[in-house]
């Protein structure tokens, strides 16, 4: 569906805005056409550091074709770093989420050099540039800036490591606008607008489109997931912030009372070098359960599988310790399944406790286990939460709303430019 042509990700999925009309209704679609009218022919560039695995790539993948479809000439380039670069930026990511990490001058130099080298491969003559996350943040230093630049930070910025933030802030200050996912991520002392834009999912993507029961069953069979017991799943990269070890603990507790099976599905992102180490920790911790077939670990990257797993789940967990927004929660809710998740980051925007799912403190293993049992033992409760969750996503977190927000931002930035 998406492939690289040099540094550019080609991601025409063939879908149009009209395809969304039956899902969101006429008013939403007309509103988008109205906002796009003044922007026809404008040229927008997105830059991030991977076109697969993880929520950011997922969103850009759906947003870019829709922006093109409504008349905005939109391109998506991927910064190509090596393993050393991604190890550094993964540490940046961890430190932005509050972890105490020290950075050497050599690491900072390599970060800048990689950005500088990449700038040599990428000409920018667009009307607006959107830079996603910290990896390509310093690019702005290596261009003569003739258009608005937006830094779209998808990370939880509520409590960043102060030394790292001081370093990164030097680049952020060159930008015209910051876009963040939550009110709590605003940084004090920044002169530019800090604009809140909630993430969203594409209801027509392979990951979220309707699947028949037969398709779902075939996908589960293909990956060796039996359905003789209720499935409890967490779909997340193997990352300490997603707390897969905590999920195994919760599951072990539930399993003492209700027979069920846990699937942890996390593909390996090229810009996340820690994945395999965390995977091995989980494998060690869950060894007897894995040998008994009660815990299944999957590292395949397959969007249809994610779709099938979410639909087949009796309970979906998201036991994150930190979470920028948590698209896996959105996806689970959209499948009409009960989601039990941590009260962190963007998750409470999606789950109203007891109405569209259940929220718990991320360290409350017993609380998680108790809620999972409650839902497994009361399928009607799960159905009720799932129905409410799906409607909440329809109203607030579909890609058409994200597109509409981007059009608002483009109108604001480009109208100011032309005035
Ligand atoms: N994802 C996936 N396969 C996996 C694990 C995750 O496709 O094995 C997707 C998941 O469905 C979601 C995204 O990666 O679309 C994760 O986004 P989220 O905001 O939950 O977390 P992030 O990885 O960006 O921290």
């Amino acid at each position: 569906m998406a492939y690289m042509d040099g540094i550019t990700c080609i991601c025409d999925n063939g879908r149009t805005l009209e395809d969304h009309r039956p899902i969101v209704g006429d008013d939403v679609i007309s509103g988008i056409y109205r906002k796009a009218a003044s922007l026809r022919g404008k040229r927008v560039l997105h830059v991030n550091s991977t076109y697969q695995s993880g929520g950011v790539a997922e969103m850009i993948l759906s947003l870019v074709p829709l922006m093109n479809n409504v008349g905005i000439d939109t391109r998506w380039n991927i910064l190509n770093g090596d393993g050393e670069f991604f190890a550094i930026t993964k540490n940046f990511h961890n430190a932005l989420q509050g972890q105490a990490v020290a950075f050497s001058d050599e690491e900072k130099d390599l970060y800048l050099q990689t950005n500088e080298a990449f700038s040599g491969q990428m000409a920018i003559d667009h009307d607006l540039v959107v830079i996603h996350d910290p990896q390509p943040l310093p690019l702005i230093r290596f261009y003569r800036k003739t258009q608005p630049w937006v830094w779209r930070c998808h990370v939880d910025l509520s409590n960043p490591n102060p030394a790292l933030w001081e370093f990164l802030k030097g680049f952020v200050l060159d930008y015209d606008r910051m876009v963040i996912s939550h009110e709590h991520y605003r940084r004090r002392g920044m002169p530019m607008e800090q604009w809140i834009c909630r993430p969203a999912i594409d209801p027509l993507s392979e990951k979220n489109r309707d699947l028949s029961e037969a398709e779902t069953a075939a996908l589960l069979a293909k990956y060796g997931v039996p359905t003789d017991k209720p499935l409890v799943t967490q779909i997340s990269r193997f990352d300490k912030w997603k707390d897969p070890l905590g999920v195994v603990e919760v599951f072990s507790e539930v399993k003492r009372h209700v027979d069920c099976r846990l699937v942890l599905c996390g593909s390996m992102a090229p810009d996340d070098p820690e994945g395999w180490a965390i995977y091995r920790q989980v494998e060690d911790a869950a060894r007897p359960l894995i040998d008994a077939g009660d815990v299944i670990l999957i590292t395949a990257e397959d969007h249809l599988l994610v779709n099938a797993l979410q639909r087949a789940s009796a309970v979906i967990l998201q036991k994150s310790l930190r979470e920028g927004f948590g698209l896996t929660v959105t996806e689970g809710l959209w499948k009409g399944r009960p989601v039990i998740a941590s009260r962190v980051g963007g998750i409470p925007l999606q789950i109203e406790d007891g109405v569209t799912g259940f929220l718990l403190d991320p360290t409350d293993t017993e609380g998680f286990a108790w809620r999972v049992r409650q839902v497994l033992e009361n399928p009607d409760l799960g159905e009720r939460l799932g129905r409410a969750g799906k409607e909440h996503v329809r109203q607030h977190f579909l890609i058409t709303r994200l597109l509409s927000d981007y059009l608002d931002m483009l109108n604001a930035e480009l109208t100011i430019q032309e005035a």
Side-chain angles (χ1 to χ4, degrees), residues 11-313:
C11 60
D12 183 7
N13 54 30
R15 293 192 290 276
T16 67
L17 184 60
E18 282 306 319
D19 297 331
H20 291 262
R21 196 182 282 276
I23 301 170
V24 293
D26 293 338
D27 290 352
V28 170
I29 302 296
S30 316
I32 288 174
Y33 283 130
R34 246 192 329 272
K35 291 178 186 185
S38 49
L39 295 166
R40 288 193 77 79
K42 293 289 184 201
R43 301 179 65 222
V44 171
L45 173 67
H46 290 270
V47 183
N48 81 322
S49 61
T50 173
Y51 75 101
Q52 56 195 6
S53 303
V56 178
E58 183 79 14
M59 261 184 302
I60 308 175
L61 206 57
S62 292
L63 183 65
V64 167
L66 279 182
M67 286 180 70
N68 279 301
N69 181 243
V70 299
I72 300 159
D73 183 351
T74 308
R75 182 175 272 253
W76 179 15
N77 287 346
I78 313 287
L79 180 151
N80 41 33
D82 59 12
E84 213 181 336
F85 172 78
F86 287 132
I88 294 167
T89 56
K90 176 69 194 199
N91 273 337
F92 280 12
H93 180 99
N94 290 338
L96 280 179
Q97 299 209 133
Q99 194 175 307
V101 186
F103 297 98
S104 65
D105 288 344
E106 288 73 31
E107 286 173 317
K108 291 177 185 167
D109 285 348
L110 192 115
Y111 174 57
L112 288 180
Q113 281 159 15
T114 303
N115 272 273
E116 184 172 15
F118 183 67
S119 71
Q121 300 175 45
M122 178 171 72
I124 296 188
D125 57 358
H126 302 74
D127 296 299
L128 185 130
V129 181
V130 186
I131 299 291
H132 295 261
D133 280 339
Q135 295 92 337
L137 172 65
L139 276 176
I140 195 165
R141 280 288 160 86
F142 305 108
Y143 289 89
R144 199 171 63 79
K145 181 170 167 295
T146 57
Q147 62 284 90
W149 282 56
V150 173
W151 186 47
R152 196 331 174 189
C153 180
H154 297 268
V155 181
D156 176 345
L157 279 183
S158 52
N159 182 30
N161 173 311
L164 179 69
W165 175 247
E166 216 36 51
F167 171 62
L168 295 182
K169 192 171 124 182
F171 308 110
V172 181
L173 285 171
D174 290 343
Y175 282 75
D176 299 279
R177 180 186 288 250
M178 266 173 80
V179 180
I180 47 181
S181 299
H182 199 295
E183 192 65 40
H184 296 161
Y185 304 165
R186 278 186 202 284
R187 302 303 306 155
R188 261 206 297 253
M190 302 301 283
M192 78 285 287
E193 178 162 2
Q194 298 185 57
W195 190 62
I196 294 165
C197 177
R198 313 271 190 230
I201 59 166
D202 180 348
L204 299 173
S205 67
E206 293 286 87
K207 189 170 290 174
N208 296 309
R209 71 171 171 85
D210 285 343
L211 279 188
S212 67
E213 281 182 22
E215 277 178 293
T216 304
L219 280 155
L220 296 180
K222 177 176 163 192
Y223 286 93
V225 180
T227 48
D228 53 328
K229 299 176 186 180
L231 289 182
V232 177
T233 61
Q234 176 163 297
I235 315 281
S236 272
R237 290 177 296 106
F238 285 91
D239 177 314
K240 58 176 162 295
W241 303 104
K242 310 288 184 185
D243 198 17
L245 288 167
V247 172
V248 171
E249 263 182 66
V250 168
F251 177 73
S252 306
E253 175 58 26
V254 173
K255 179 89 182 136
R256 292 178 37 225
H257 306 276
V258 188
D259 196 16
C260 52
R261 181 172 283 119
L262 173 68
V263 179
L264 287 171
C265 175
S267 57
M268 296 293 165
D271 65 349
D272 181 357
E274 291 176 342
W276 283 112
I278 306 282
Y279 175 89
R280 280 187 282 274
Q281 284 175 19
V282 175
E283 207 177 29
D284 287 347
R287 176 52 63 202
L289 289 162
I290 293 173
D291 290 344
D294 286 331
V295 170
I296 298 177
L297 307 183
I298 300 177
T299 59
E301 163 86 17
D302 183 339
H303 288 193
L304 277 173
L305 169 67
V306 170
N307 191 339
L309 281 171
Q310 287 165 336
R311 283 177 199 283
S313 296

